[in-house]
Amino acid sequence: MNKNRAVIFVISDSIGETAEQVAKAASAQYPECEIRIRWIPYVTEIESIQEVISEAKDLDSIIMFTLVVPELRKYLTEQAAMHNIICVDIMGPAVEAIAKVTGQHPTDIPGAARKLDDEYFSKIEAVEFAVKYDDCKDPRGIKKADLVLLGISRTSKTPLGMFLATKNLKVANIPLMPEVKPPKELFEISPKKIIGLVISTDQLNPIRLERLKSHGLSDQANYASKERIAYEHKYAEEIMNKIGCRIVDVTDKAIEETANTILQILKEAEQE
């Protein structure tokens, strides 16, 4: 284990501001260490926890969380213990202490204490937009979005969209697959609002293999083969070049690093 670096996964079934602030405050006590914080808000399903565990188990990682739903808390802590991942429940002990003293049961409602101000509503609106228009659930979101992310499967489109939503950007993301014609709306908006995401085949191959494993599928499936990935890459880059959008390589990059690159691209586009 590298004693000078760590990744903190901040998980919440709401927006996650409390756990994120705790993670930042704790990290500030270690200025000589390289500590990255990965923010995963609105976790309401076990599958989302499985994806975090799958990534965290291979890193020098810590999981900090504010999950009020008992079933999610239990599953997360059990899975973290199984993989020897340090797991910190930010809010649970305080909620349980109040329950013991008052004899009352908590409501288990995510985000019950948040200040409802304009900035909060703007952020929530952007996050809800990212959820609604994730994976091209509704192509009408393309024309409503501040930013559209394109890429083949497992190029970080969803986590990037969620992270950028915290910057008050309404983000839609579109998966590119050779068998599916891209939405016509992509060619009806400014390419300055579109970012194509690419990743190396060598990095994507194990990510897809892990995805298959988490779903109980064979690692021999065509989805994870390097030949299939190369084929998808070629198709996706043809579409991106036809659109004329900027392309960002996410290989070996943290979500925050890619997001900062995208924000800089958008800022430059506004100044043109």
Side-chain angles (χ1 to χ4, degrees), residues 43-72:
V43 172
T44 58
E45 299 176 351
I46 283 177
E47 183 181 15
S48 299
I49 295 175
Q50 289 172 337
E51 291 183 3
V52 174
I53 294 291
S54 177
E55 184 175 357
K57 66 184 177 61
D58 296 323
L59 301 171
D60 299 328
S61 63
I62 301 163
I63 295 176
M64 295 186 181
F65 68 93
T66 51
L67 297 173
V68 301
V69 178
E71 292 77 14
L72 292 179

Side-chain angles (χ1 to χ4, degrees), residues 17-176:
E17 292 170 318
T18 301
E20 185 180 26
Q21 290 304 314
V22 171
K24 287 180 178 179
S27 300
Q29 298 298 314
Y30 299 89
E32 301 302 318
C33 296
E34 180 187 341
I35 300 176
R36 292 193 291 112
I37 298 175
R38 287 283 308 279
W39 177 77
I40 305 101
Y42 292 98
V43 172
T44 58
E45 299 176 351
I46 283 177
E47 183 181 15
S48 299
I49 295 175
Q50 289 172 337
E51 291 183 3
V52 174
I53 294 291
S54 177
E55 184 175 357
K57 66 184 177 61
D58 296 323
L59 301 171
D60 299 328
S61 63
I62 301 163
I63 295 176
M64 295 186 181
F65 68 93
T66 51
L67 297 173
V68 301
V69 178
E71 292 77 14
L72 292 179
R73 284 207 309 270
K74 183 174 184 292
Y75 183 81
L76 174 58
T77 53
E78 287 177 350
Q79 290 297 307
M82 186 181 302
H83 293 284
N84 296 314
I85 303 169
I86 296 174
C87 197
V88 182
D89 185 348
I90 301 296
M91 193 168 60
V95 172
E96 291 169 6
I98 294 173
K100 286 180 181 179
V101 172
T102 63
Q104 302 298 313
H105 293 289
T107 61
D108 291 337
I109 298 174
R114 188 172 300 106
K115 180 183 177 182
L116 304 181
D117 56 15
D118 290 341
E119 183 179 356
Y120 162 72
F121 280 117
S122 178
K123 186 179 292 187
I124 290 300
E125 184 180 1
V127 171
E128 290 178 345
F129 187 96
V131 172
K132 182 175 181 179
Y133 297 110
D134 180 45
D135 271 349
C136 201
K137 291 173 184 172
D138 183 348
R140 291 176 298 180
I142 293 172
K143 291 188 175 182
K144 300 175 183 178
D146 299 318
L147 171 68
V148 178
L149 299 176
L150 301 180
I152 63 176
S153 174
R154 314 309 290 173
T155 47
S156 301
K157 298 184 298 298
T158 296
L160 264 173
M162 295 299 291
F163 183 89
L164 289 166
T166 68
K167 309 299 181 183
N168 291 336
L169 281 176
K170 293 180 179 178
V171 183
N173 80 70
I174 311 296
L176 295 177

Side-chain angles (χ1 to χ4, degrees), residues 169-189:
L169 281 176
K170 293 180 179 178
V171 183
N173 80 70
I174 311 296
L176 295 177
M177 296 172 284
E179 296 79 11
V180 180
K181 187 177 181 180
K184 62 180 178 59
E185 289 86 353
L186 278 176
F187 303 93
E188 297 173 351
I189 65 172

